[in-house]
PDB file of all heavy atoms in Angstrom:
ATOM      1  N   ARG F 213     -45.586   7.763  -8.000  1.00 97.00           N
ATOM      2  CA  ARG F 213     -44.949   8.827  -8.812  1.00 97.00           C
ATOM      3  C   ARG F 213     -45.963   9.997  -9.094  1.00 97.00           C
ATOM      4  O   ARG F 213     -45.598  11.195  -9.089  1.00 97.00           O
ATOM      5  CB  ARG F 213     -44.399   8.214 -10.051  1.00 97.00           C
ATOM      6  CG  ARG F 213     -43.354   7.172  -9.855  1.00 97.00           C
ATOM      7  CD  ARG F 213     -42.104   7.967  -9.486  1.00 97.00           C
ATOM      8  NE  ARG F 213     -40.911   6.926  -9.451  1.00 97.00           N
ATOM      9  CZ  ARG F 213     -39.868   7.003  -8.626  1.00 97.00           C
ATOM     10  NH1 ARG F 213     -39.797   8.126  -7.779  1.00 97.00           N
ATOM     11  NH2 ARG F 213     -38.919   6.193  -8.679  1.00 97.00           N
ATOM     12  N   ALA F 214     -47.162   9.575  -9.500  1.00 96.00           N
ATOM     13  CA  ALA F 214     -48.277  10.578  -9.762  1.00 96.00           C
ATOM     14  C   ALA F 214     -48.398  11.533  -8.648  1.00 96.00           C
ATOM     15  O   ALA F 214     -48.597  12.787  -8.862  1.00 96.00           O
ATOM     16  CB  ALA F 214     -49.403   9.846 -10.347  1.00 96.00           C
ATOM     17  N   LEU F 215     -48.594  10.969  -7.483  1.00 96.00           N
ATOM     18  CA  LEU F 215     -48.810  11.734  -6.224  1.00 96.00           C
ATOM     19  C   LEU F 215     -47.673  12.716  -6.034  1.00 96.00           C
ATOM     20  O   LEU F 215     -47.838  13.897  -5.730  1.00 96.00           O
ATOM     21  CB  LEU F 215     -49.133  10.883  -5.010  1.00 96.00           C
ATOM     22  CG  LEU F 215     -50.445  10.115  -5.059  1.00 96.00           C
ATOM     23  CD1 LEU F 215     -50.556   9.084  -3.884  1.00 96.00           C
ATOM     24  CD2 LEU F 215     -51.616  11.143  -4.919  1.00 96.00           C
ATOM     25  N   GLU F 216     -46.399  12.169  -6.175  1.00 96.00           N
ATOM     26  CA  GLU F 216     -45.246  13.114  -5.942  1.00 96.00           C
ATOM     27  C   GLU F 216     -45.239  14.190  -6.878  1.00 96.00           C
ATOM     28  O   GLU F 216     -44.813  15.230  -6.516  1.00 96.00           O
ATOM     29  CB  GLU F 216     -44.055  12.184  -6.111  1.00 96.00           C
ATOM     30  CG  GLU F 216     -43.832  11.193  -5.048  1.00 96.00           C
ATOM     31  CD  GLU F 216     -42.679  10.258  -5.355  1.00 96.00           C
ATOM     32  OE1 GLU F 216     -42.167  10.239  -6.484  1.00 96.00           O
ATOM     33  OE2 GLU F 216     -42.244   9.439  -4.504  1.00 96.00           O
ATOM     34  N   GLN F 217     -45.746  13.999  -8.070  1.00 96.00           N
ATOM     35  CA  GLN F 217     -45.665  15.007  -9.159  1.00 96.00           C
ATOM     36  C   GLN F 217     -46.958  15.891  -9.165  1.00 96.00           C
ATOM     37  O   GLN F 217     -47.105  16.723 -10.065  1.00 96.00           O
ATOM     38  CB  GLN F 217     -45.493  14.328 -10.547  1.00 96.00           C
ATOM     39  CG  GLN F 217     -44.137  13.656 -10.646  1.00 96.00           C
ATOM     40  CD  GLN F 217     -44.056  12.745 -11.866  1.00 96.00           C
ATOM     41  OE1 GLN F 217     -44.916  12.804 -12.848  1.00 96.00           O
ATOM     42  NE2 GLN F 217     -43.064  11.912 -11.922  1.00 96.00           N
ATOM     43  N   GLY F 218     -47.811  15.601  -8.168  1.00 95.00           N
ATOM     44  CA  GLY F 218     -49.081  16.406  -8.147  1.00 95.00           C
ATOM     45  C   GLY F 218     -50.066  16.090  -9.331  1.00 95.00           C
ATOM     46  O   GLY F 218     -50.808  17.011  -9.721  1.00 95.00           O
ATOM     47  N   LYS F 219     -50.050  14.988  -9.916  1.00 95.00           N
ATOM     48  CA  LYS F 219     -50.863  14.598 -11.053  1.00 95.00           C
ATOM     49  C   LYS F 219     -52.242  14.282 -10.743  1.00 95.00           C
ATOM     50  O   LYS F 219     -52.498  13.723  -9.600  1.00 95.00           O
ATOM     51  CB  LYS F 219     -50.136  13.498 -11.900  1.00 95.00           C
ATOM     52  CG  LYS F 219     -48.812  13.980 -12.579  1.00 95.00           C
ATOM     53  CD  LYS F 219     -48.974  15.112 -13.459  1.00 95.00           C
ATOM     54  CE  LYS F 219     -47.690  15.408 -14.146  1.00 95.00           C
ATOM     55  NZ  LYS F 219     -47.419  14.545 -15.220  1.00 95.00           N
ATOM     56  N   LYS F 220     -53.186  14.442 -11.612  1.00 94.00           N
ATOM     57  CA  LYS F 220     -54.648  13.998 -11.400  1.00 94.00           C
ATOM     58  C   LYS F 220     -54.616  12.513 -11.703  1.00 94.00           C
ATOM     59  O   LYS F 220     -53.965  12.053 -12.551  1.00 94.00           O
ATOM     60  CB  LYS F 220     -55.524  14.818 -12.143  1.00 94.00           C
ATOM     61  CG  LYS F 220     -55.687  16.205 -11.825  1.00 94.00           C
ATOM     62  CD  LYS F 220     -56.578  16.968 -12.728  1.00 94.00           C
ATOM     63  CE  LYS F 220     -56.668  18.376 -12.455  1.00 94.00           C
ATOM     64  NZ  LYS F 220     -57.073  18.764 -11.012  1.00 94.00           N
ATOM     65  N   MET F 221     -55.597  11.792 -11.002  1.00 95.00           N
ATOM     66  CA  MET F 221     -55.873  10.406 -11.237  1.00 95.00           C
ATOM     67  C   MET F 221     -57.305  10.240 -11.803  1.00 95.00           C
ATOM     68  O   MET F 221     -58.048  11.008 -11.475  1.00 95.00           O
ATOM     69  CB  MET F 221     -55.538   9.562 -10.038  1.00 95.00           C
ATOM     70  CG  MET F 221     -54.158   9.546  -9.584  1.00 95.00           C
ATOM     71  SD  MET F 221     -53.783   8.418  -8.283  1.00 95.00           S
ATOM     72  CE  MET F 221     -52.153   8.836  -7.831  1.00 95.00           C
ATOM     73  N   TYR F 222     -57.371   9.201 -12.573  1.00 94.00           N
ATOM     74  CA  TYR F 222     -58.645   8.895 -13.199  1.00 94.00           C
ATOM     75  C   TYR F 222     -58.977   7.456 -13.044  1.00 94.00           C
ATOM     76  O   TYR F 222     -58.214   6.583 -12.758  1.00 94.00           O
ATOM     77  CB  TYR F 222     -58.593   9.204 -14.723  1.00 94.00           C
ATOM     78  CG  TYR F 222     -58.157  10.608 -14.975  1.00 94.00           C
ATOM     79  CD1 TYR F 222     -56.786  10.956 -15.084  1.00 94.00           C
ATOM     80  CD2 TYR F 222     -59.100  11.632 -15.259  1.00 94.00           C
ATOM     81  CE1 TYR F 222     -56.466  12.249 -15.380  1.00 94.00           C
ATOM     82  CE2 TYR F 222     -58.741  12.879 -15.470  1.00 94.00           C
ATOM     83  CZ  TYR F 222     -57.407  13.319 -15.592  1.00 94.00           C
ATOM     84  OH  TYR F 222     -56.927  14.552 -15.869  1.00 94.00           O
ATOM     85  N   ARG F 223     -60.369   7.128 -13.234  1.00 91.00           N
ATOM     86  CA  ARG F 223     -60.882   5.847 -13.371  1.00 91.00           C
ATOM     87  C   ARG F 223     -61.699   5.708 -14.596  1.00 91.00           C
ATOM     88  O   ARG F 223     -62.174   6.856 -15.113  1.00 91.00           O
ATOM     89  CB  ARG F 223     -61.681   5.404 -12.144  1.00 91.00           C
ATOM     90  CG  ARG F 223     -62.915   6.120 -11.981  1.00 91.00           C
ATOM     91  CD  ARG F 223     -63.749   5.598 -10.784  1.00 91.00           C
ATOM     92  NE  ARG F 223     -64.889   6.422 -10.613  1.00 91.00           N
ATOM     93  CZ  ARG F 223     -65.115   7.523  -9.952  1.00 91.00           C
ATOM     94  NH1 ARG F 223     -64.029   8.072  -9.309  1.00 91.00           N
ATOM     95  NH2 ARG F 223     -66.301   8.121  -9.842  1.00 91.00           N
ATOM     96  N   ILE F 224     -61.918   4.552 -15.151  1.00 88.00           N
ATOM     97  CA  ILE F 224     -62.635   4.362 -16.409  1.00 88.00           C
ATOM     98  C   ILE F 224     -64.122   4.072 -15.965  1.00 88.00           C
ATOM     99  O   ILE F 224     -64.292   3.116 -15.120  1.00 88.00           O
ATOM    100  CB  ILE F 224     -62.141   3.316 -17.303  1.00 88.00           C
ATOM    101  CG1 ILE F 224     -60.790   3.777 -17.855  1.00 88.00           C
ATOM    102  CG2 ILE F 224     -63.140   3.008 -18.291  1.00 88.00           C
ATOM    103  CD1 ILE F 224     -60.175   2.744 -18.797  1.00 88.00           C
TER     104      ILE F 224
END
Side-chain angles (χ1 to χ4, degrees):
R213 294 291 185 208
L215 289 171
E216 291 170 350
Q217 296 170 11
K219 297 302 184 73
K220 295 182 182 298
M221 295 190 188
Y222 303 86
R223 67 177 180 274
I224 292 178

